[in-house]
Amino acid sequence: MTRPDRKRPTRRSVIAGGGSIVVSFALLSQAFAQEGEVQGAAPPQPKPKLPGSLADDPLLDAWIRIDADGAISVFTGKAELGQGVKTAILQIAAEELEVDPTAIRLVTADTGQTPNEGYTAGSQSIQNSGTTIRHAAAQVRELLIGQAAARWQIPADQLRAENGKVIRSDGQALDYGSLVSTEIMHVEARPQSRLKAPGSFRIMGKPMKRVDIPAKVTGTPIYVQDMRLPGMVHARVVRPPRPGATLTALDPSAVERLPGVVAVVRNGSFLAVVAEREFQAIQAMRLLETAAQWSEGTKFPNPSEFIQSLKTRPAQQGVVAERGQPGAASAQSFQATFTRPYQIHGSIGPSCAVALLESGTTRIWSHTQGVFPDRAAIAEMLGVPAEQVHVVHVEGSGCYGHNGADDAAADAALIAQAVPGRPVRLQWMREQEHVWEPYGPAMLTEVRASLDQSGRIAEWNYDLWSNTHSTRPGPAGSLIAAQSLPAAFKAPPAKLSISPSGNGDRNAVPLYTIPNMRVIWHFLPEMPLRVSALRALGAYANVFAIESAMDELALMANADPVEFRLRHMDDPRGRAVIEAAADGFGWSRDRLPDGRGRGFAFARYKNLAAYLAIALEIEVERETGRCRILRVVAAIDSGEIVNPDGIRNQTEGGIIQAASWTLYETVTFDESGITSTDWSSYPIMRFGSVPESIDVKIVERPGEPFLGTGEAAQGPTPAAIANAIRHATGRRLYDIPFRAEKVKAAIGV
Amino acid sequence: MTLLRIVLGLVFILAIGTAAFIGYAWHSRLDPIDPPAKASLDAKLLARGAELAAIGNCNVCHTAPNGEAFAGGLGIPTPFGTIYSTNITPDLETGIGRWSEEAFSRAMRKGVDREGRHLYPAFPYDHFTLVSDEDNRAIYAFLMTRKSVSAKSPANQLPFPFNVRMLLAGWKALFFREGPYLPENGRPAEWNRGRYLAEGLGHCGACHTPRNRLGAEIPDQHFAGAEIENWTAYAINSGSPAPLPWDVESLASYLRHGWHDRHGVSRGPMAPVTANLGAASEADVKAIAAYVAEVMGRPSKERLAQSEAALAAARQEREAAPLRRTGETGNGPGEAIFVSACQGCHDGRRPPPFGGLNLHLSTAVNAPNAQNIINVTLYGLPAAKGEPSAMMPAYRGVLNENQLVALLDYMRERFSKQPAWTDTRERVSSTLRGERRVPVYRMDGTTHAPPETSMRTAPWP
Amino acid sequence: MAVTLTVNGRTQQVEADPETPLLYVLRDHLELNGAKYGCGIGQCGSCTVMVDGEAVLSCVTPVLLLEGRRVTTVEGLGTLEKPGPMQQAFIEEQAAQCGYCIPGMMMRAQALLQADPSADEATIRAHLEPNLCRCGTHMRIIKAVMRAGEIMRHNPQSGGAS
């Protein structure tokens, strides 16, 4: 499927400085589809003409409320995951509303209060919610100006909004509180908004300090783990040794007699214990583990050759992209297979939720990325209407995709049914998070590409083998708790779905100009290990393969890796980040000292979101194969910037996280189950291995739409590392992770 | 007159003796050469050299903390002063780039450098002398193809007369027997191979055999154990304190992987050894294990019975209901500390390498002193870089002196049949005060930052 | 059973099993949020606090060891209204993404800077090894600790914590 055709927008007629922009979003494409569509759904229909999420919630006061006393509330369906979205949305709203950010109370993801914006995922928050709130705020501002104009009988264009007031030329002012009324706010948004021009920004585009950091560094309660409600009790679940195992025998008597234990909860194979004090709950859990007997459960596959075996498993073919003719004449060709193992999210804080059943309603406080979908799934699990379940997002530690949060919320909800009236704080243990969180799927990819006589890519064939990358609730059957009930909900079968935003096929189509191309997703419906969305989804493995192949093709064409990419990059914004990264890094072909190499990579996340290019220098210890990243320079184009520091923070973080995945990380298992159950058996990057420096350069694009940023670094980073190792040692690595032993084996003596 | 004659005679004898000594001690200077090109060397030879260098642990002494491999500069304190390891990369000015194979083999066989100067036995040529010519050739080829590093090692800090290298000839006369290794007839090939490796390149005795006042290993205390860098290198002869006797399989597995689920994990200076042996040939490591097991000897009936008892006690704790609660048995503060701070990992429910060893199986608890447990408890086992490894948190700052002493005495009493340790408090307090400096190694063999210089304890017994 | 603890300068009695790890007493009994549960087995450092000025993993420190000893948590370094030098530095450098690991980092860094006020970058990196960060905030954490060192060196009184 080719990219949707987009008319050059009317924003080109920007009035510089002091004017405002009228933006028409008449031709919104499927680009803004929600990430993580429920499995089996048809590809999303083109949205109506309202921008962002206004299409689903067109009433302005769903997003912005102003009270008679002037208090402003802004509602977003998105959640703060540590990516700074609360701050960014405050900046956007404050900018268009012409108030100070401190004047706004921001309410995030709450099934009782905010619009349903699906999941906070796919780097969509600013693109969707940010865009929505920007438009809504701009329209509210204009409505207030209109009200003042009517009241003063002065034309609206002689009035301006500033600091929470509408002001006329003689200085008289009316504050928002006195202008507001339900009638004017309870209206549908219009397709066009008078947005402020970038030249006039007070807050957007500035590195406003994050509003959540002061609480986080002073121990002020802010995480769901910090919640303390009156009468709260502590709970722990006991999970079987393997998924699919059922509880065959249980003698809870000794556990029930332990000090502080309030209840042992058993519901089919769902097993948990509740106690007054947290440590009592932990000790009770340990005893309860020994008091339970389980059936065999699902058998795990043989780990050796497992990833290679992906190619032989039953698959459905999905054509991701097709253009031109196969079999073009070629001067030289390249072929390689790349692999990526199961990898974990590895949230530092294991998942946690608080739930309370009171007056027939189950209220749940959770760090789930999707309060509405999780609520629907939990309601289905409990067999109650959705209105009787209320889910509020409270921050947890970084989730990086679908981790245990949704399941912890379900666990807490189920336990709360057993102790009505008492808030239940359910905390997963470290081993439970490592074993039961859904993993990033193992993938195998193949590149077959060829060059023509002029050193350009003539043909590109790409095949990827992967499960679905999203099993988010969804239906109740996605939840471990629901699967453990006597009338067990079944996990829904995974369905192949090709959409622009991509799933396992995300970024499987190179952005380069290639005349003949075929990209196929061999969709594997069977999931012997539980999998779901891990930051960037398929982009991590796909860009790793594509950008590794680009370097090999460049070598074949006797071209510099950067120049070779530019040779095929017609998108000027792609060219700009490639050049910025190369220049910023000081890219050259000079010789490096023994054991050092430089590597480059580029991708536009989803081919729709932010553009990112990265250059890095690596040192490979010849005797051990240990790799040390020395310096990194990345360039990113995120469109209109809301908070430049937020962009830098997320990009630095994405680079380090992806570097850790690439150098070290793989889930391990044997036939008895998962064996990577803690940080000793699943090591991640520690300070001793962190790069010496990371420099993120932002390419500024005032007036352009926001582009999703949080996951942009995950794809290019592994390729840049592989390319640098290739440069340093003459050897290319195809199989992530690049642990020292593997690198050493490739280098030899 | 007679007195004058006697004096003259003595002077004459002294002069002859000195000349004889110098004649004995003097070695020729071997000519410098141009180093061989890597392409000219056989790949198999290089691979063999790599394996042998792993057994010889060359990189451990010849690499400074955070320094480049083989570039020297590690300070090794001895009772005689600090000796710095040399640069053995093929650098032409500061390394051994100009050494011929003959010069290298001579250094290994005789403990003499290319210029003809005697080397200090901190370079364990009393072991390396056993290495065969063929193996020296492979190691030479390996070293000459390493990355060249320009690095001049610091000058040794040795007071007079220890800085007079020629006097080492006297030491050699007393304590050094030149090789190469001569196989013992009537013994299996694997045993000879194991002995050749363990006594030669492996230089196990350099740590595991006590030394006399002049720093030489004491022959009739072969493998009887010693203290190195404030870590105890256990006896690996028949006096091995391991509750479960080692055999060939367990030793081989431990040496290659750095852990064994019935013995524990290697730590301290042994961690780099097992990290290196992971890269050696499996057959060679098995041979070393076979030899050492033979030195340890067959366990007596009594020892076997004790070993069964230890296993049974460990199994019972693993299978019993978890966690004896403090205060239940009223065995004092040490027990309360153990149950609350240690037992959670050390009940054996999750065995090494990713869980704690049940201490009924612990060698450390049965060692002559508590130093190793003190070290591990205070400094932990830090994570390897990017590889799965055993890990243990550091309890320095958690346990104060009294608490650590109480804990150690309790552990000795509960898990060992040996008499109580007598020097626990002195060791705890001197370690806490930093008087006993303890290097801490990661399981991948790298030193844990902040980097500590490797050291031998002084004085040797 | 009653255990006496001195935390952030305040001595108090806590009704807790003496073998309870300090982490749960801090969070569950004393309602202090800084020290976090990350793994409970001393591998990640989220629970790091200071005891008598030394960085310690509170998840493996049973309270029975703490009679008469001084515990400091991040709450003892300053408040929202009046953040201490370490907290100021982390805010200045915006050294947090999800922020979950940050109090542990701060306590380990505080112990280091109190012992070695002019610790350089290499020493800081080495000392932070026991603490994990999954968001990849490492570069900013290092900058923040260096900044904290600067602030503390310029105002020697401000840096110390009980």
Side-chain angles (χ1 to χ4, degrees):
Chain A
M1 165 181 326
T2 53
R3 279 173 49 210
D5 219 9
R6 266 200 271 163
K7 265 205 321 231
R8 284 278 169 252
T10 56
R11 71 181 83 91
R12 296 280 158 173
S13 55
V14 166
I15 306 160
S20 56
I21 309 173
V22 175
V23 186
S24 169
F25 277 76
L27 285 172
L28 254 202
S29 70
Q30 294 170 16
F32 297 112
Q34 292 292 328
E35 112 93 39
E37 291 296 325
V38 173
Q39 299 152 48
Q45 301 305 312
K47 299 229 187 293
K49 292 176 182 187
L50 292 177
S53 311
L54 283 167
D56 294 319
D57 281 275
L59 292 170
L60 284 179
D61 62 358
W63 302 93
I64 301 178
R65 265 174 234 158
I66 303 181
D67 297 339
D69 61 5
I72 304 173
S73 303
V74 172
F75 300 86
T76 173
K78 297 298 181 184
E80 175 66 64
L81 307 177
Q83 81 287 51
V85 81
K86 268 167 74 167
T87 306
I89 288 183
L90 278 170
Q91 285 177 263
I92 293 171
E95 187 70 66
E96 294 292 349
L97 281 174
E98 296 290 3
V99 295
D100 193 85
T102 54
I104 299 177
R105 179 181 76 110
L106 180 63
V107 180
T108 66
D110 178 336
T111 60
Q113 293 194 71
T114 69
N116 178 354
E117 290 191 90
Y119 306 99
T120 302
S123 303
Q124 306 253 53
S125 297
I126 303 301
Q127 262 180 256
N128 282 5
S129 198
T131 302
T132 302
I133 285 168
R134 186 166 184 206
H135 281 265
Q139 294 190 16
V140 165
R141 181 195 69 230
E142 294 302 306
L143 282 174
L144 292 167
I145 289 177
Q147 276 294 99
R151 207 178 287 187
W152 280 326
Q153 289 299 305
I154 293 179
D157 60 13
Q158 288 181 24
L159 302 175
R160 71 177 195 282
E162 192 180 300
N163 220 351
K165 307 189 214 307
V166 179
I167 306 181
R168 59 194 231 187
S169 44
D170 65 5
Q172 270 195 66
L174 281 168
D175 61 48
Y176 288 173
S178 63
L179 290 165
V180 80
S181 74
T182 325
E183 294 87 58
I184 70 161
M185 296 290 294
H186 194 70
V187 296
E188 285 203 4
R190 286 172 303 158
Q192 297 202 352
S193 313
R194 205 183 203 85
L195 300 178
K196 288 181 65 174
S200 65
F201 288 163
R202 298 172 291 120
I203 308 159
M204 264 179 64
K206 310 270 184 279
M208 175 175 147
K209 293 231 182 307
R210 282 212 359 226
V211 297
D212 51 324
I213 288 185
K216 289 172 174 174
V217 301
T218 52
T220 310
I222 188 168
Y223 298 102
V224 67
Q225 287 90 343
D226 300 335
M227 286 184 66
R228 291 183 189 86
L229 299 179
M232 192 171 82
V233 289
H234 292 267
R236 293 290 188 278
V237 288
V238 172
R239 295 248 120 96
R242 270 168 302 282
T246 52
L247 186 56
T248 54
L250 177 72
D251 180 9
S253 47
V255 180
E256 283 161 347
R257 284 198 301 270
L258 286 177
V261 169
V262 167
V264 172
V265 177
R266 180 194 177 164
N267 196 337
S269 295
F270 180 85
L271 185 56
V273 63
V274 183
E276 297 284 352
R277 286 277 179 211
E278 185 160 23
F279 190 55
Q280 291 171 335
I282 294 173
Q283 291 175 301
M285 175 193 71
R286 300 239 181 269
L287 186 58
L288 189 56
E289 279 167 352
T290 64
Q293 278 170 40
W294 303 87
S295 70
E296 261 288 316
T298 348
K299 202 159 190 288
F300 272 67
N302 187 326
S304 69
E305 301 304 316
F306 173 76
I307 297 183
Q308 297 302 328
S309 82
L310 291 179
K311 277 186 78 170
T312 61
R313 292 176 174 258
Q316 295 163 38
Q317 288 217 24
V319 177
V320 182
E322 205 164 18
R323 82 165 81 110
Q325 300 287 351
S330 75
Q332 292 163 293
S333 64
F334 167 77
Q335 183 172 331
T337 304
F338 300 84
T339 67
R340 177 262 184 137
Y342 293 106
Q343 293 176 318
I344 69 172
H345 300 72
S347 309
I348 294 293
S351 296
C352 179
V354 177
L356 168 62
L357 170 59
E358 206 167 43
S359 313
T361 299
T362 302
R363 293 189 74 200
I364 306 167
W365 293 263
S366 161
H367 54 115
T368 171
Q369 287 176 287
V371 292
F372 284 90
D374 205 19
R375 175 239 238 171
I378 292 173
E380 188 190 341
M381 174 183 79
L382 295 177
V384 303
E387 299 72 57
Q388 280 180 246
V389 177
H390 177 182
V391 180
V392 181
H393 179 270
V394 181
E395 277 195 68
S397 79
C399 56
Y400 328 111
H402 178 197
N403 69 348
D406 304 57
D407 291 292
D411 293 339
L414 204 48
I415 297 168
Q417 310 302 303
V419 286
R422 300 200 72 176
V424 173
R425 177 186 186 278
L426 181 282
Q427 167 80 66
W428 277 20
M429 304 299 286
R430 179 78 257 156
E431 308 81 66
Q432 293 173 334
E433 187 79 28
H434 263 73
V435 171
W436 293 93
E437 61 138 275
Y439 301 133
M443 287 174 66
L444 186 148
T445 65
E446 274 182 7
V447 178
R448 282 168 295 128
S450 63
L451 297 174
D452 65 21
Q453 303 286 10
S454 70
R456 298 182 89 94
I457 304 173
E459 185 174 335
W460 180 276
N461 292 289
Y462 186 74
D463 290 80
L464 67 121
W465 282 261
S466 170
N467 295 141
T468 181
H469 282 242
S470 181
T471 61
R472 295 181 187 275
S478 324
L479 301 167
I480 301 172
Q483 292 164 10
S484 318
L485 293 176
F489 289 82
K490 289 265 176 290
K495 295 246 176 63
L496 169 61
S497 159
I498 308 278
S499 66
S501 173
N503 179 293
D505 59 331
R506 182 167 292 175
N507 275 102
V509 181
L511 198 62
Y512 302 108
T513 303
I514 299 171
N516 304 297
M517 180 189 294
R518 197 152 183 269
V519 178
I520 308 285
W521 179 3
H522 303 264
F523 175 81
L524 306 172
E526 270 173 37
M527 293 176 277
L529 270 63
R530 185 183 185 214
V531 294
S532 194
L534 172 57
R535 195 171 180 183
L537 272 60
Y540 173 69
N542 291 330
V543 177
F544 164 55
I546 291 170
E547 289 294 293
S548 296
M550 287 300 280
D551 251 40
E552 288 298 321
L553 292 165
L555 273 168
M556 272 191 222
N558 222 329
D560 171 80
V562 173
E563 189 278 315
F564 187 73
R565 286 169 170 82
L566 288 170
R567 204 182 276 189
H568 294 83
M569 178 51 56
D570 289 329
D571 184 331
R573 291 172 78 171
R575 298 181 70 85
V577 296
I578 291 174
E579 282 161 355
D583 290 340
F585 182 80
W587 187 267
S588 73
R589 301 191 87 168
D590 298 344
R591 258 197 73 105
L592 283 171
D594 224 345
R596 291 200 181 176
R598 56 173 80 84
F600 196 90
F602 160 84
R604 178 178 189 190
Y605 185 50
K606 299 182 185 172
N607 289 352
L608 299 169
Y611 298 78
L612 185 139
I614 182 173
L616 54 82
E617 191 178 317
I618 238 179
E619 181 166 56
V620 181
E621 266 178 31
R622 187 166 147 205
E623 297 308 317
T624 60
R626 218 167 276 130
C627 297
R628 210 164 58 93
I629 301 176
L630 301 176
R631 65 189 183 99
V632 183
V633 173
I636 185 167
D637 173 352
S638 301
E640 180 87 74
I641 299 170
V642 181
N643 190 320
D645 196 58
I647 292 176
R648 279 199 190 89
N649 209 349
Q650 283 285 285
T651 305
E652 286 165 20
I655 290 170
I656 291 184
Q657 190 179 78
S660 177
W661 294 352
T662 308
L663 291 173
Y664 307 136
E665 298 186 29
T666 171
V667 169
T668 54
F669 56 92
D670 60 25
E671 272 130 354
S672 76
I674 302 291
T675 52
S676 49
T677 60
D678 63 13
W679 299 119
S680 69
S681 43
Y682 187 100
I684 66 176
M685 191 171 274
R686 289 185 180 263
F687 271 92
S689 310
V690 152
E692 285 172 8
S693 70
I694 301 181
D695 185 13
V696 177
K697 302 196 179 303
I698 300 177
V699 175
E700 300 193 18
R701 300 277 179 201
E704 293 288 333
F706 303 129
L707 293 179
T709 289
E711 295 163 282
Q714 310 305 108
T717 299
I721 292 174
N723 292 338
I725 293 175
R726 170 74 162 94
H727 186 231
T729 64
R731 298 273 186 273
R732 176 161 296 281
L733 294 174
Y734 301 90
D735 304 298
I736 287 172
F738 307 152
R739 283 194 180 159
E741 208 171 30
K742 193 180 287 185
V743 178
K744 179 61 179 165
I747 299 174
V749 178
Chain B
M1 274 290 280
T2 327
L3 184 62
L4 184 60
R5 269 231 185 99
I6 291 168
V7 168
L8 279 175
L10 282 172
V11 168
F12 184 66
I13 291 167
L14 192 60
I16 299 281
T18 307
F21 178 77
I22 291 173
Y24 162 72
W26 182 83
H27 286 264
S28 65
R29 179 182 171 278
L30 294 173
D31 286 330
I33 54 118
D34 286 322
K38 181 168 182 182
S40 71
L41 294 165
D42 175 42
K44 281 218 191 72
L45 185 71
L46 288 179
R48 189 71 190 124
E51 284 181 348
L52 292 169
I55 297 177
N57 241 20
C58 314
N59 64 324
V60 174
C61 278
H62 284 277
T63 308
N66 289 337
E68 300 239 36
F70 303 113
L74 180 70
I76 302 165
T78 72
F80 317 105
T82 303
I83 297 172
Y84 288 90
S85 64
T86 51
N87 182 339
I88 55 173
T89 73
D91 188 71
L92 298 178
E93 311 316 327
T94 59
I96 58 169
R98 293 235 177 264
W99 286 39
S100 60
E101 187 185 314
E102 190 195 339
F104 177 77
S105 294
R106 186 176 73 170
M108 294 284 279
R109 187 65 53 73
K110 295 177 188 284
V112 171
D113 72 7
R114 184 179 72 76
E115 308 279 344
R117 300 176 306 168
H118 291 278
L119 295 168
Y120 290 98
F123 173 60
Y125 51 78
D126 49 341
H127 290 273
F128 295 159
T129 189
L130 297 179
V131 178
S132 68
D133 292 336
E134 190 191 333
D135 285 351
N136 275 329
R137 163 163 301 134
I139 299 170
Y140 175 75
F142 171 74
L143 287 175
M144 293 307 264
T145 50
R146 295 310 87 204
K147 174 178 169 189
S148 262
V149 178
S150 174
K152 195 157 160 32
S153 4
N156 293 336
Q157 288 160 14
L158 295 166
F160 182 85
F162 303 117
N163 57 352
V164 181
R165 284 181 182 267
M166 200 168 266
L167 292 177
L168 285 167
W171 187 92
K172 287 175 173 175
L174 290 171
F175 303 120
F176 176 58
R177 296 292 161 264
E178 199 175 305
Y181 178 74
L182 295 168
E184 203 170 292
N185 288 325
R187 292 283 206 164
E190 192 183 55
W191 182 90
N192 266 310
R193 178 102 197 124
R195 183 160 176 244
Y196 164 69
L197 290 172
E199 300 296 355
L201 273 175
H203 66 286
C204 311
C207 287
H208 284 274
T209 301
R211 294 174 185 265
N212 61 25
R213 280 210 179 284
L214 287 175
E217 292 175 35
I218 304 172
D220 56 5
Q221 291 187 36
H222 178 244
F223 282 4
E227 204 158 303
I228 299 293
E229 305 178 10
N230 283 314
W231 288 89
T232 302
Y234 302 123
I236 51 174
N237 59 8
S238 59
S240 159
L244 266 54
W246 291 94
D247 59 21
V248 182
E249 275 77 45
S250 53
L251 265 176
S253 176
Y254 166 75
L255 288 173
R256 290 211 86 218
H257 298 114
W259 60 271
H260 191 276
D261 62 9
R262 289 181 169 190
H263 287 92
V265 304
S266 75
R267 53 193 178 255
M270 193 62 188
V273 174
T274 53
N276 272 333
L277 288 177
S281 99
E282 217 176 311
D284 279 348
V285 175
K286 179 139 183 293
I288 294 173
Y291 169 68
V292 174
E294 206 259 9
V295 172
M296 287 180 171
R298 261 222 177 84
S300 65
K301 274 215 173 64
E302 195 195 319
R303 186 129 185 265
L304 283 172
Q306 282 175 1
S307 138
E308 281 307 315
L311 266 174
R315 184 168 37 240
Q316 198 214 17
E317 279 174 21
R318 193 175 59 241
E319 290 163 4
L323 306 184
R324 277 163 53 192
R325 305 180 60 76
T326 52
E328 259 177 24
T329 50
N331 280 340
E335 181 187 58
I337 298 170
F338 182 81
V339 168
S340 59
C342 317
Q343 192 165 277
C345 284
H346 281 278
D347 60 3
R349 256 168 245 281
R350 203 169 166 226
F354 301 125
L357 183 73
N358 183 294
L359 297 175
H360 285 288
L361 308 176
S362 158
T363 304
V365 151
N366 291 286
N369 60 61
Q371 191 64 47
N372 283 11
I373 305 189
I374 294 170
N375 295 346
V376 172
T377 307
L378 289 179
Y379 303 111
L381 296 176
K385 290 185 170 193
E387 306 165 20
S389 72
M391 271 182 76
M392 179 172 143
Y395 285 83
R396 190 183 59 210
V398 174
L399 295 164
N400 63 22
E401 183 177 315
N402 289 338
Q403 290 161 347
L404 184 49
V405 172
L407 173 64
L408 293 165
D409 289 343
Y410 168 76
M411 283 166 61
R412 177 71 159 187
E413 206 256 326
R414 170 166 166 191
F415 295 110
S416 169
K417 302 258 185 287
Q418 311 256 18
W421 288 312
T422 52
D423 59 356
T424 313
R425 181 165 292 274
E426 185 280 317
R427 284 180 179 273
V428 169
S429 104
S430 60
T431 312
L432 280 173
R433 275 199 314 274
E435 279 159 28
R436 286 182 189 270
R437 280 175 42 223
V438 177
V440 180
Y441 293 85
R442 296 192 192 82
M443 297 303 292
D444 55 18
T446 57
T447 46
H448 176 56
E452 305 270 356
T453 46
S454 148
M455 20 183 298
R456 311 243 135 85
T457 46
W460 280 322
Chain C
M1 235 200 81
V3 179
T4 311
L5 281 181
T6 304
V7 181
N8 296 331
R10 229 182 106 221
T11 306
Q12 52 210 301
Q13 288 230 331
V14 172
E15 270 300 317
D17 208 341
E19 64 182 66
T20 310
L22 175 62
L23 173 65
Y24 304 112
V25 170
L26 290 173
R27 294 191 62 85
D28 202 11
H29 292 73
L30 300 179
E31 304 196 352
L32 294 167
N33 302 304
K36 306 262 190 296
Y37 173 75
C39 68
I41 43 180
Q43 295 180 342
C44 76
S46 303
C47 66
T48 309
V49 298
M50 290 200 307
V51 174
D52 292 332
E54 208 159 343
V56 140
L57 299 169
S58 63
C59 70
V60 297
T61 305
V63 288
L64 62 85
L65 295 174
L66 298 173
E67 199 85 28
R69 299 168 73 191
R70 292 184 343 260
V71 177
T72 312
T73 70
V74 80
E75 289 88 345
L77 298 186
T79 62
L80 259 184
E81 297 74 36
K82 239 184 141 246
M86 183 67 68
Q87 295 160 321
Q88 278 172 47
F90 272 74
I91 294 171
E92 254 176 60
E93 296 294 333
Q94 293 283 278
Q97 288 178 71
C98 80
Y100 199 81
C101 73
I102 297 298
M105 298 281 180
M106 294 167 70
M107 295 318 294
R108 191 161 299 274
Q110 180 76 22
L112 169 63
L113 290 178
Q114 280 179 193
D116 180 5
S118 51
D120 64 7
E121 186 174 323
T123 309
I124 293 169
R125 280 175 185 250
H127 271 265
L128 290 174
E129 280 257 335
N131 289 59
L132 286 176
C133 167
R134 186 50 160 170
C135 292
T137 311
H138 303 73
M139 317 305 296
R140 294 177 175 228
I141 292 170
I142 295 168
K143 279 210 197 83
V145 176
M146 305 221 24
R147 179 82 189 108
E150 261 171 48
I151 300 176
M152 282 159 68
R153 284 194 294 279
H154 279 121
N155 311 306
Q157 279 79 41
S158 68
S162 52

